[in-house]
Amino acid sequence: MKRAIIGVMILLLVVPLLGCFWRQENEPPKETKQINPDEEAANKEKVSITLYFGYKDEFLLAGEPRVIDAPINGRLETAVLKELIKGPSPENQTLSALIDPGLQVESVSESGEYLFVTLNNVFLESFRDVTTEEGKKKQQLAVYSIVNTMVELGGYSRVQLFVDIDGSGLGQRIKMSDAGFENTGDALLEPMGFTGGIVLNPKNTVAEFLKSYANKDYERMYDFIAGHDPSGDERPIEEEFLSGVVSFNSGIEEYAVMDYYMSPDGISCVAFMNFKVTKTNGTSQEMTDIPLILVREENIWKISYSSFKKVFQF
């Protein structure tokens, strides 16, 4: 009797174990999440940024909005710098690359409101033989484009650039003269903040437009007028415009842009300016708080042609 009871107890213990074993052998394997240590292969997220490039051959910067895939576990600043190095979008013919495509980001770190960016020696070598004023200006713009792009990300008010000169991986401060800034002697490049005076925002676009008008540089003035107008009043071809403006019987002087206001959709704005109109007969007239409409064309703020005609009675 005891042997029978023991046998039953053994069966009660073995049968569940066999069932568990059968289920384990026949159930599909559970997915296991692999951890990839490679930062470049990490999960990414879409991030909207603004990259600053050169505007034509001018000593000006213009922002190009772009959406990038930024690694969640990596530094956003590094991903943004790599996009900046790639240059402007091919379809935007008014923007120009300022940075050698061989430039590499060695490291990015921060301390408080300061961001520290270390670049490889291509940053210096690409401008080594530059001696012209235009070349020096482009080198300065390369510095400003990096700093402005980084500061606009938010979180840091100053950017200190270092260069890995000897390939050791350690960055060194460079002279201002090595960054295109002339007549600076042995002064080192200091941490820099956002430089807004050279960025083609609506206020600066109007200022450059007025400067061209005052200097009678009508070809340059033409470039700051949008080709397509929301009202349907299209800008004429350049030859027709120049022939008309040359015979125009007035000029301007003592101009200033006071302020501007953006539309809620961000595709148009109105700027307010003061200037003095001068007539060929020697008379002049003060104009104050005059509104001028601007629109975005290829991500560049430009003057509405219909607004230009109305304001200046062209």
Side-chain angles (χ1 to χ4, degrees), residues 242-306:
L242 294 178
S243 63
V245 77
V246 167
S247 61
F248 199 38
N249 64 351
S250 67
I252 64 168
E253 58 183 43
E254 299 180 11
Y255 55 87
V257 185
M258 309 312 295
D259 207 347
Y260 69 91
Y261 297 95
M262 198 81 63
S263 65
D265 57 13
I267 62 175
S268 65
C269 77
V270 56
F272 295 89
M273 55 190 177
N274 299 340
F275 58 91
K276 181 187 290 186
V277 177
T278 57
K279 302 290 185 177
T280 54
N281 61 9
T283 61
S284 62
Q285 180 182 1
E286 297 280 352
M287 308 291 290
T288 58
D289 295 326
I290 305 300
L292 188 66
I293 305 299
L294 295 91
V295 295
R296 288 184 72 87
E297 187 172 83
E298 295 183 334
N299 293 316
I300 306 294
W301 285 107
K302 293 194 174 185
I303 312 298
S304 158
Y305 180 61
S306 60

Short mmCIF file of all heavy atoms in Angstrom, two decimals, residues 242-306:
data_model
loop_
_atom_site.label_atom_id
_atom_site.label_comp_id
_atom_site.label_asym_id
_atom_site.label_seq_id
_atom_site.Cartn_x
_atom_site.Cartn_y
_atom_site.Cartn_z
N LEU A 242 16.66 97.31 -63.67
CA LEU A 242 17.78 98.25 -63.59
C LEU A 242 17.56 99.48 -64.47
O LEU A 242 17.89 100.59 -64.07
CB LEU A 242 19.08 97.54 -63.99
CG LEU A 242 19.55 96.42 -63.04
CD1 LEU A 242 20.82 95.77 -63.58
CD2 LEU A 242 19.77 96.96 -61.64
N SER A 243 17.01 99.26 -65.64
CA SER A 243 16.77 100.41 -66.52
C SER A 243 15.73 101.34 -65.92
O SER A 243 15.79 102.57 -66.08
CB SER A 243 16.28 99.93 -67.89
OG SER A 243 15.04 99.26 -67.79
N GLY A 244 14.78 100.78 -65.16
CA GLY A 244 13.75 101.61 -64.54
C GLY A 244 14.27 102.35 -63.32
O GLY A 244 14.00 103.54 -63.14
N VAL A 245 15.06 101.66 -62.48
CA VAL A 245 15.51 102.27 -61.25
C VAL A 245 16.59 103.31 -61.50
O VAL A 245 16.72 104.29 -60.75
CB VAL A 245 16.00 101.20 -60.25
CG1 VAL A 245 17.38 100.67 -60.62
CG2 VAL A 245 15.99 101.73 -58.82
N VAL A 246 17.38 103.14 -62.55
CA VAL A 246 18.42 104.12 -62.88
C VAL A 246 17.80 105.46 -63.24
O VAL A 246 18.33 106.53 -62.91
CB VAL A 246 19.31 103.60 -64.02
CG1 VAL A 246 20.17 104.72 -64.59
CG2 VAL A 246 20.20 102.46 -63.52
N SER A 247 16.66 105.40 -63.92
CA SER A 247 15.99 106.65 -64.31
C SER A 247 15.06 107.18 -63.23
O SER A 247 14.40 108.20 -63.43
CB SER A 247 15.17 106.40 -65.59
OG SER A 247 14.18 105.41 -65.37
N PHE A 248 15.02 106.47 -62.10
CA PHE A 248 14.14 106.90 -61.01
C PHE A 248 14.64 108.24 -60.47
O PHE A 248 15.84 108.46 -60.31
CB PHE A 248 14.18 105.84 -59.90
CG PHE A 248 13.03 105.90 -58.94
CD1 PHE A 248 11.75 106.20 -59.37
CD2 PHE A 248 13.23 105.64 -57.60
CE1 PHE A 248 10.70 106.24 -58.49
CE2 PHE A 248 12.18 105.68 -56.71
CZ PHE A 248 10.91 105.98 -57.16
N ASN A 249 13.72 109.13 -60.17
CA ASN A 249 14.11 110.51 -59.85
C ASN A 249 14.28 110.79 -58.37
O ASN A 249 14.15 111.90 -57.91
CB ASN A 249 13.07 111.49 -60.42
CG ASN A 249 11.70 111.30 -59.76
OD1 ASN A 249 11.51 110.35 -59.02
ND2 ASN A 249 10.78 112.20 -60.03
N SER A 250 14.55 109.73 -57.58
CA SER A 250 14.77 109.96 -56.15
C SER A 250 15.79 108.95 -55.61
O SER A 250 16.02 107.90 -56.20
CB SER A 250 13.46 109.85 -55.37
OG SER A 250 12.98 108.52 -55.40
N GLY A 251 16.39 109.30 -54.48
CA GLY A 251 17.30 108.42 -53.78
C GLY A 251 16.98 108.48 -52.30
O GLY A 251 16.04 109.17 -51.88
N ILE A 252 17.73 107.76 -51.50
CA ILE A 252 17.49 107.80 -50.06
C ILE A 252 18.81 108.02 -49.32
O ILE A 252 19.89 107.73 -49.84
CB ILE A 252 16.80 106.52 -49.55
CG1 ILE A 252 17.72 105.30 -49.75
CG2 ILE A 252 15.47 106.31 -50.20
CD1 ILE A 252 17.23 104.08 -49.01
N GLU A 253 18.70 108.48 -48.08
CA GLU A 253 19.86 108.65 -47.20
C GLU A 253 19.36 108.65 -45.77
O GLU A 253 18.15 108.70 -45.50
CB GLU A 253 20.59 109.96 -47.52
CG GLU A 253 19.73 111.19 -47.40
CD GLU A 253 20.46 112.46 -47.79
OE1 GLU A 253 21.18 112.44 -48.81
OE2 GLU A 253 20.32 113.46 -47.06
N GLU A 254 20.30 108.55 -44.83
CA GLU A 254 19.97 108.57 -43.41
C GLU A 254 18.86 107.59 -43.06
O GLU A 254 17.85 107.94 -42.46
CB GLU A 254 19.58 109.98 -42.96
CG GLU A 254 20.68 111.01 -43.15
CD GLU A 254 20.25 112.40 -42.71
OE1 GLU A 254 19.19 112.51 -42.06
OE2 GLU A 254 20.97 113.37 -43.02
N TYR A 255 19.08 106.34 -43.40
CA TYR A 255 18.06 105.30 -43.19
C TYR A 255 18.30 104.55 -41.88
O TYR A 255 19.42 104.48 -41.37
CB TYR A 255 18.08 104.32 -44.37
CG TYR A 255 19.44 103.70 -44.61
CD1 TYR A 255 19.83 102.56 -43.93
CD2 TYR A 255 20.34 104.28 -45.50
CE1 TYR A 255 21.09 102.01 -44.13
CE2 TYR A 255 21.58 103.74 -45.71
CZ TYR A 255 21.96 102.61 -45.02
OH TYR A 255 23.20 102.08 -45.22
N ALA A 256 17.23 103.94 -41.35
CA ALA A 256 17.32 103.11 -40.16
C ALA A 256 16.12 102.18 -40.12
O ALA A 256 15.00 102.58 -40.47
CB ALA A 256 17.37 103.95 -38.89
N VAL A 257 16.35 100.93 -39.74
CA VAL A 257 15.26 99.96 -39.57
C VAL A 257 14.93 99.92 -38.09
O VAL A 257 15.79 99.63 -37.25
CB VAL A 257 15.67 98.56 -40.07
CG1 VAL A 257 14.48 97.61 -40.00
CG2 VAL A 257 16.22 98.65 -41.49
N MET A 258 13.68 100.20 -37.76
CA MET A 258 13.30 100.36 -36.36
C MET A 258 12.92 99.03 -35.70
O MET A 258 13.36 98.73 -34.60
CB MET A 258 12.13 101.35 -36.25
CG MET A 258 12.38 102.68 -36.98
SD MET A 258 13.99 103.41 -36.60
CE MET A 258 13.78 103.76 -34.85
N ASP A 259 12.09 98.25 -36.36
CA ASP A 259 11.61 97.01 -35.76
C ASP A 259 10.92 96.17 -36.84
O ASP A 259 10.72 96.64 -37.97
CB ASP A 259 10.62 97.30 -34.64
CG ASP A 259 10.60 96.19 -33.59
OD1 ASP A 259 11.14 95.11 -33.85
OD2 ASP A 259 10.04 96.43 -32.49
N TYR A 260 10.58 94.94 -36.49
CA TYR A 260 9.80 94.12 -37.42
C TYR A 260 8.91 93.16 -36.63
O TYR A 260 9.20 92.83 -35.48
CB TYR A 260 10.71 93.36 -38.39
CG TYR A 260 11.54 92.26 -37.77
CD1 TYR A 260 11.08 90.94 -37.68
CD2 TYR A 260 12.82 92.53 -37.28
CE1 TYR A 260 11.86 89.94 -37.13
CE2 TYR A 260 13.60 91.54 -36.73
CZ TYR A 260 13.12 90.24 -36.65
OH TYR A 260 13.89 89.26 -36.09
N TYR A 261 7.83 92.74 -37.28
CA TYR A 261 6.87 91.84 -36.65
C TYR A 261 6.56 90.68 -37.59
O TYR A 261 6.26 90.89 -38.76
CB TYR A 261 5.58 92.58 -36.27
CG TYR A 261 5.82 93.66 -35.25
CD1 TYR A 261 6.02 94.98 -35.65
CD2 TYR A 261 5.86 93.35 -33.89
CE1 TYR A 261 6.27 95.96 -34.72
CE2 TYR A 261 6.10 94.35 -32.95
CZ TYR A 261 6.30 95.64 -33.37
OH TYR A 261 6.55 96.62 -32.44
N MET A 262 6.64 89.48 -37.06
CA MET A 262 6.46 88.27 -37.85
C MET A 262 4.98 87.88 -37.89
O MET A 262 4.25 88.04 -36.90
CB MET A 262 7.26 87.12 -37.24
CG MET A 262 7.50 85.95 -38.16
SD MET A 262 8.88 86.27 -39.28
CE MET A 262 10.23 86.43 -38.13
N SER A 263 4.55 87.35 -39.03
CA SER A 263 3.18 86.83 -39.14
C SER A 263 3.10 85.52 -38.36
O SER A 263 4.11 84.85 -38.15
CB SER A 263 2.82 86.59 -40.60
OG SER A 263 3.63 85.57 -41.15
N PRO A 264 1.91 85.12 -37.91
CA PRO A 264 1.77 83.87 -37.14
C PRO A 264 2.26 82.64 -37.90
O PRO A 264 2.75 81.69 -37.29
CB PRO A 264 0.26 83.80 -36.87
CG PRO A 264 -0.20 85.22 -36.91
CD PRO A 264 0.64 85.87 -37.97
N ASP A 265 2.14 82.65 -39.24
CA ASP A 265 2.57 81.48 -40.01
C ASP A 265 4.07 81.49 -40.31
O ASP A 265 4.62 80.52 -40.82
CB ASP A 265 1.79 81.36 -41.32
CG ASP A 265 1.92 82.61 -42.21
OD1 ASP A 265 2.79 83.44 -41.94
OD2 ASP A 265 1.12 82.73 -43.15
N GLY A 266 4.76 82.59 -39.99
CA GLY A 266 6.20 82.65 -40.15
C GLY A 266 6.69 82.79 -41.57
O GLY A 266 7.90 82.70 -41.82
N ILE A 267 5.80 83.06 -42.52
CA ILE A 267 6.25 83.16 -43.92
C ILE A 267 6.24 84.59 -44.44
O ILE A 267 6.64 84.84 -45.57
CB ILE A 267 5.38 82.27 -44.84
CG1 ILE A 267 3.92 82.73 -44.82
CG2 ILE A 267 5.50 80.81 -44.47
CD1 ILE A 267 3.03 81.98 -45.81
N SER A 268 5.79 85.53 -43.63
CA SER A 268 5.86 86.93 -44.02
C SER A 268 6.02 87.79 -42.77
O SER A 268 5.79 87.32 -41.65
CB SER A 268 4.60 87.37 -44.79
OG SER A 268 3.46 87.32 -43.95
N CYS A 269 6.45 89.01 -42.98
CA CYS A 269 6.58 89.92 -41.84
C CYS A 269 6.55 91.35 -42.36
O CYS A 269 6.65 91.59 -43.57
CB CYS A 269 7.84 89.64 -41.04
SG CYS A 269 9.35 90.25 -41.80
N VAL A 270 6.43 92.29 -41.44
CA VAL A 270 6.45 93.70 -41.80
C VAL A 270 7.55 94.38 -40.98
O VAL A 270 7.66 94.16 -39.77
CB VAL A 270 5.09 94.37 -41.56
CG1 VAL A 270 4.62 94.21 -40.13
CG2 VAL A 270 5.14 95.85 -41.94
N ALA A 271 8.40 95.14 -41.66
CA ALA A 271 9.46 95.89 -41.00
C ALA A 271 9.14 97.38 -41.09
O ALA A 271 8.54 97.83 -42.08
CB ALA A 271 10.81 95.60 -41.66
N PHE A 272 9.54 98.13 -40.08
CA PHE A 272 9.29 99.56 -40.05
C PHE A 272 10.61 100.31 -40.13
O PHE A 272 11.57 99.97 -39.44
CB PHE A 272 8.52 99.94 -38.78
CG PHE A 272 7.16 99.34 -38.72
CD1 PHE A 272 6.96 98.09 -38.15
CD2 PHE A 272 6.07 100.01 -39.24
CE1 PHE A 272 5.69 97.52 -38.11
CE2 PHE A 272 4.80 99.46 -39.20
CZ PHE A 272 4.62 98.20 -38.64
N MET A 273 10.66 101.32 -40.99
CA MET A 273 11.92 102.01 -41.26
C MET A 273 11.72 103.51 -41.32
O MET A 273 10.63 104.01 -41.62
CB MET A 273 12.52 101.50 -42.57
CG MET A 273 11.57 101.63 -43.74
SD MET A 273 12.15 100.78 -45.21
CE MET A 273 10.77 101.07 -46.32
N ASN A 274 12.81 104.21 -41.05
CA ASN A 274 12.89 105.66 -41.22
C ASN A 274 13.94 105.95 -42.28
O ASN A 274 15.00 105.30 -42.30
CB ASN A 274 13.27 106.37 -39.92
CG ASN A 274 12.27 106.14 -38.81
OD1 ASN A 274 11.13 105.78 -39.05
ND2 ASN A 274 12.70 106.35 -37.58
N PHE A 275 13.69 106.90 -43.15
CA PHE A 275 14.69 107.29 -44.14
C PHE A 275 14.33 108.66 -44.70
O PHE A 275 13.22 109.16 -44.52
CB PHE A 275 14.79 106.26 -45.27
CG PHE A 275 13.51 106.02 -46.01
CD1 PHE A 275 13.17 106.75 -47.14
CD2 PHE A 275 12.62 105.03 -45.58
CE1 PHE A 275 11.99 106.53 -47.82
CE2 PHE A 275 11.44 104.79 -46.25
CZ PHE A 275 11.12 105.54 -47.38
N LYS A 276 15.29 109.24 -45.37
CA LYS A 276 15.09 110.54 -46.00
C LYS A 276 15.12 110.36 -47.52
O LYS A 276 16.07 109.81 -48.06
CB LYS A 276 16.17 111.54 -45.59
CG LYS A 276 16.01 112.93 -46.21
CD LYS A 276 17.19 113.82 -45.90
CE LYS A 276 17.22 114.20 -44.44
NZ LYS A 276 18.30 115.20 -44.16
N VAL A 277 14.06 110.79 -48.16
CA VAL A 277 13.98 110.73 -49.62
C VAL A 277 14.59 112.00 -50.20
O VAL A 277 14.25 113.11 -49.76
CB VAL A 277 12.52 110.58 -50.09
CG1 VAL A 277 12.45 110.60 -51.62
CG2 VAL A 277 11.91 109.30 -49.56
N THR A 278 15.47 111.82 -51.16
CA THR A 278 16.08 112.99 -51.83
C THR A 278 15.65 113.02 -53.29
O THR A 278 15.66 112.01 -53.98
CB THR A 278 17.61 112.91 -51.76
OG1 THR A 278 18.06 111.69 -52.36
CG2 THR A 278 18.09 112.96 -50.32
N LYS A 279 15.25 114.21 -53.74
CA LYS A 279 14.81 114.39 -55.12
C LYS A 279 15.95 114.96 -55.96
O LYS A 279 16.91 115.55 -55.43
CB LYS A 279 13.60 115.33 -55.17
CG LYS A 279 12.40 114.87 -54.36
CD LYS A 279 11.74 113.65 -54.96
CE LYS A 279 10.48 113.26 -54.20
NZ LYS A 279 9.78 112.12 -54.80
N THR A 280 15.83 114.79 -57.27
CA THR A 280 16.86 115.32 -58.17
C THR A 280 16.92 116.84 -58.15
O THR A 280 17.93 117.44 -58.52
CB THR A 280 16.62 114.82 -59.60
OG1 THR A 280 15.28 115.15 -59.98
CG2 THR A 280 16.82 113.32 -59.69
N ASN A 281 15.82 117.49 -57.73
CA ASN A 281 15.81 118.95 -57.67
C ASN A 281 16.41 119.49 -56.38
O ASN A 281 16.40 120.69 -56.12
CB ASN A 281 14.38 119.48 -57.84
CG ASN A 281 13.44 118.98 -56.74
OD1 ASN A 281 13.87 118.38 -55.77
ND2 ASN A 281 12.15 119.24 -56.92
N GLY A 282 16.94 118.55 -55.53
CA GLY A 282 17.60 118.98 -54.31
C GLY A 282 16.73 118.98 -53.08
O GLY A 282 17.23 119.14 -51.97
N THR A 283 15.42 118.80 -53.22
CA THR A 283 14.54 118.77 -52.06
C THR A 283 14.61 117.39 -51.40
O THR A 283 15.00 116.40 -52.01
CB THR A 283 13.08 119.07 -52.47
OG1 THR A 283 12.64 118.07 -53.40
CG2 THR A 283 12.98 120.45 -53.10
N SER A 284 14.22 117.35 -50.14
CA SER A 284 14.22 116.08 -49.41
C SER A 284 13.01 116.00 -48.49
O SER A 284 12.39 117.02 -48.17
CB SER A 284 15.52 115.93 -48.59
OG SER A 284 15.62 116.96 -47.63
N GLN A 285 12.69 114.79 -48.06
CA GLN A 285 11.52 114.58 -47.21
C GLN A 285 11.82 113.46 -46.21
O GLN A 285 12.32 112.40 -46.59
CB GLN A 285 10.29 114.22 -48.06
CG GLN A 285 9.03 113.98 -47.23
CD GLN A 285 7.85 113.57 -48.10
OE1 GLN A 285 7.98 113.44 -49.32
NE2 GLN A 285 6.70 113.38 -47.47
N GLU A 286 11.52 113.71 -44.96
CA GLU A 286 11.71 112.71 -43.92
C GLU A 286 10.52 111.73 -43.93
O GLU A 286 9.37 112.15 -43.92
CB GLU A 286 11.81 113.38 -42.54
CG GLU A 286 12.99 114.29 -42.38
CD GLU A 286 14.28 113.53 -42.07
OE1 GLU A 286 14.20 112.31 -41.86
OE2 GLU A 286 15.35 114.18 -42.06
N MET A 287 10.83 110.45 -43.91
CA MET A 287 9.81 109.41 -43.86
C MET A 287 10.03 108.60 -42.58
O MET A 287 11.14 108.13 -42.33
CB MET A 287 9.92 108.50 -45.08
CG MET A 287 9.94 109.23 -46.42
SD MET A 287 8.37 110.03 -46.83
CE MET A 287 7.35 108.59 -47.17
N THR A 288 8.98 108.45 -41.77
CA THR A 288 9.14 107.77 -40.49
C THR A 288 8.12 106.65 -40.34
O THR A 288 6.97 106.75 -40.79
CB THR A 288 8.98 108.74 -39.30
OG1 THR A 288 7.69 109.36 -39.37
CG2 THR A 288 10.05 109.81 -39.35
N ASP A 289 8.56 105.57 -39.69
CA ASP A 289 7.71 104.40 -39.38
C ASP A 289 6.99 103.87 -40.63
O ASP A 289 5.79 103.55 -40.59
CB ASP A 289 6.69 104.74 -38.30
CG ASP A 289 7.35 105.04 -36.96
OD1 ASP A 289 8.40 104.42 -36.67
OD2 ASP A 289 6.84 105.89 -36.21
N ILE A 290 7.72 103.78 -41.73
CA ILE A 290 7.14 103.30 -42.98
C ILE A 290 7.20 101.76 -43.01
O ILE A 290 8.27 101.18 -42.84
CB ILE A 290 7.90 103.87 -44.19
CG1 ILE A 290 7.92 105.41 -44.11
CG2 ILE A 290 7.28 103.39 -45.48
CD1 ILE A 290 6.56 106.04 -44.10
N PRO A 291 6.06 101.10 -43.21
CA PRO A 291 6.07 99.64 -43.24
C PRO A 291 6.52 99.09 -44.59
O PRO A 291 6.20 99.64 -45.64
CB PRO A 291 4.59 99.29 -42.97
CG PRO A 291 3.83 100.46 -43.53
CD PRO A 291 4.70 101.66 -43.32
N LEU A 292 7.27 98.01 -44.53
CA LEU A 292 7.73 97.32 -45.73
C LEU A 292 7.52 95.83 -45.52
O LEU A 292 7.96 95.27 -44.51
CB LEU A 292 9.21 97.63 -46.00
CG LEU A 292 9.81 97.15 -47.32
CD1 LEU A 292 9.15 97.88 -48.50
CD2 LEU A 292 11.32 97.37 -47.35
N ILE A 293 6.84 95.18 -46.47
CA ILE A 293 6.51 93.77 -46.33
C ILE A 293 7.66 92.90 -46.85
O ILE A 293 8.26 93.19 -47.89
CB ILE A 293 5.22 93.43 -47.11
CG1 ILE A 293 4.07 94.35 -46.66
CG2 ILE A 293 4.84 91.97 -46.92
CD1 ILE A 293 3.73 94.21 -45.20
N LEU A 294 7.95 91.83 -46.12
CA LEU A 294 8.94 90.84 -46.55
C LEU A 294 8.30 89.47 -46.60
O LEU A 294 7.35 89.17 -45.86
CB LEU A 294 10.14 90.80 -45.60
CG LEU A 294 11.03 92.03 -45.50
CD1 LEU A 294 10.54 92.96 -44.40
CD2 LEU A 294 12.47 91.63 -45.27
N VAL A 295 8.84 88.62 -47.45
CA VAL A 295 8.37 87.24 -47.57
C VAL A 295 9.59 86.32 -47.59
O VAL A 295 10.71 86.75 -47.88
CB VAL A 295 7.54 87.02 -48.85
CG1 VAL A 295 6.26 87.84 -48.79
CG2 VAL A 295 8.35 87.38 -50.09
N ARG A 296 9.36 85.06 -47.27
CA ARG A 296 10.44 84.08 -47.30
C ARG A 296 10.50 83.45 -48.69
O ARG A 296 9.50 82.94 -49.19
CB ARG A 296 10.25 83.00 -46.25
CG ARG A 296 10.48 83.50 -44.84
CD ARG A 296 10.37 82.39 -43.82
NE ARG A 296 11.50 81.49 -43.88
CZ ARG A 296 12.64 81.66 -43.22
NH1 ARG A 296 12.79 82.73 -42.46
NH2 ARG A 296 13.61 80.79 -43.29
N GLU A 297 11.69 83.48 -49.28
CA GLU A 297 11.90 82.86 -50.59
C GLU A 297 13.17 82.02 -50.51
O GLU A 297 14.25 82.54 -50.26
CB GLU A 297 12.04 83.95 -51.66
CG GLU A 297 12.10 83.41 -53.07
CD GLU A 297 12.04 84.52 -54.10
OE1 GLU A 297 13.11 85.12 -54.37
OE2 GLU A 297 10.95 84.80 -54.61
N GLU A 298 13.02 80.71 -50.67
CA GLU A 298 14.12 79.77 -50.49
C GLU A 298 14.76 79.95 -49.11
O GLU A 298 15.98 79.92 -48.95
CB GLU A 298 15.18 79.94 -51.59
CG GLU A 298 14.67 79.59 -52.99
CD GLU A 298 15.76 79.71 -54.04
OE1 GLU A 298 16.71 80.50 -53.82
OE2 GLU A 298 15.68 79.00 -55.04
N ASN A 299 13.90 80.15 -48.12
CA ASN A 299 14.30 80.32 -46.72
C ASN A 299 15.07 81.61 -46.46
O ASN A 299 15.67 81.77 -45.40
CB ASN A 299 15.14 79.11 -46.24
CG ASN A 299 14.33 77.85 -46.18
OD1 ASN A 299 13.20 77.85 -45.70
ND2 ASN A 299 14.89 76.75 -46.67
N ILE A 300 15.06 82.54 -47.42
CA ILE A 300 15.73 83.83 -47.25
C ILE A 300 14.66 84.92 -47.19
O ILE A 300 13.73 84.94 -47.99
CB ILE A 300 16.69 84.12 -48.43
CG1 ILE A 300 17.68 82.98 -48.62
CG2 ILE A 300 17.40 85.45 -48.21
CD1 ILE A 300 18.64 82.80 -47.48
N TRP A 301 14.80 85.84 -46.23
CA TRP A 301 13.87 86.97 -46.15
C TRP A 301 14.19 87.97 -47.24
O TRP A 301 15.33 88.43 -47.35
CB TRP A 301 13.96 87.63 -44.77
CG TRP A 301 13.29 86.84 -43.70
CD1 TRP A 301 13.90 86.12 -42.71
CD2 TRP A 301 11.88 86.66 -43.52
NE1 TRP A 301 12.96 85.51 -41.93
CE2 TRP A 301 11.71 85.82 -42.40
CE3 TRP A 301 10.75 87.11 -44.21
CZ2 TRP A 301 10.46 85.44 -41.94
CZ3 TRP A 301 9.50 86.73 -43.74
CH2 TRP A 301 9.36 85.90 -42.63
N LYS A 302 13.17 88.31 -48.05
CA LYS A 302 13.34 89.26 -49.13
C LYS A 302 12.16 90.25 -49.17
O LYS A 302 11.08 89.98 -48.65
CB LYS A 302 13.48 88.54 -50.47
CG LYS A 302 14.77 87.73 -50.58
CD LYS A 302 15.07 87.31 -52.00
CE LYS A 302 16.42 86.64 -52.10
NZ LYS A 302 16.78 86.32 -53.50
N ILE A 303 12.40 91.38 -49.83
CA ILE A 303 11.40 92.44 -49.91
C ILE A 303 10.32 92.07 -50.92
O ILE A 303 10.61 91.62 -52.03
CB ILE A 303 12.06 93.77 -50.35
CG1 ILE A 303 13.32 94.07 -49.54
CG2 ILE A 303 11.06 94.91 -50.27
CD1 ILE A 303 13.10 94.25 -48.09
N SER A 304 9.08 92.26 -50.53
CA SER A 304 7.97 92.08 -51.46
C SER A 304 8.05 93.15 -52.55
O SER A 304 8.21 94.34 -52.25
CB SER A 304 6.64 92.18 -50.71
OG SER A 304 5.58 92.52 -51.59
N TYR A 305 7.97 92.72 -53.81
CA TYR A 305 8.09 93.67 -54.92
C TYR A 305 6.95 94.68 -54.91
O TYR A 305 7.16 95.88 -55.12
CB TYR A 305 8.13 92.93 -56.25
CG TYR A 305 8.26 93.85 -57.44
CD1 TYR A 305 9.36 94.68 -57.59
CD2 TYR A 305 7.26 93.89 -58.42
CE1 TYR A 305 9.47 95.54 -58.68
CE2 TYR A 305 7.36 94.74 -59.51
CZ TYR A 305 8.48 95.56 -59.64
OH TYR A 305 8.59 96.42 -60.72
N SER A 306 5.74 94.23 -54.64
CA SER A 306 4.60 95.15 -54.62
C SER A 306 4.74 96.15 -53.48
O SER A 306 4.38 97.32 -53.62
CB SER A 306 3.28 94.38 -54.49
OG SER A 306 3.26 93.62 -53.29
#
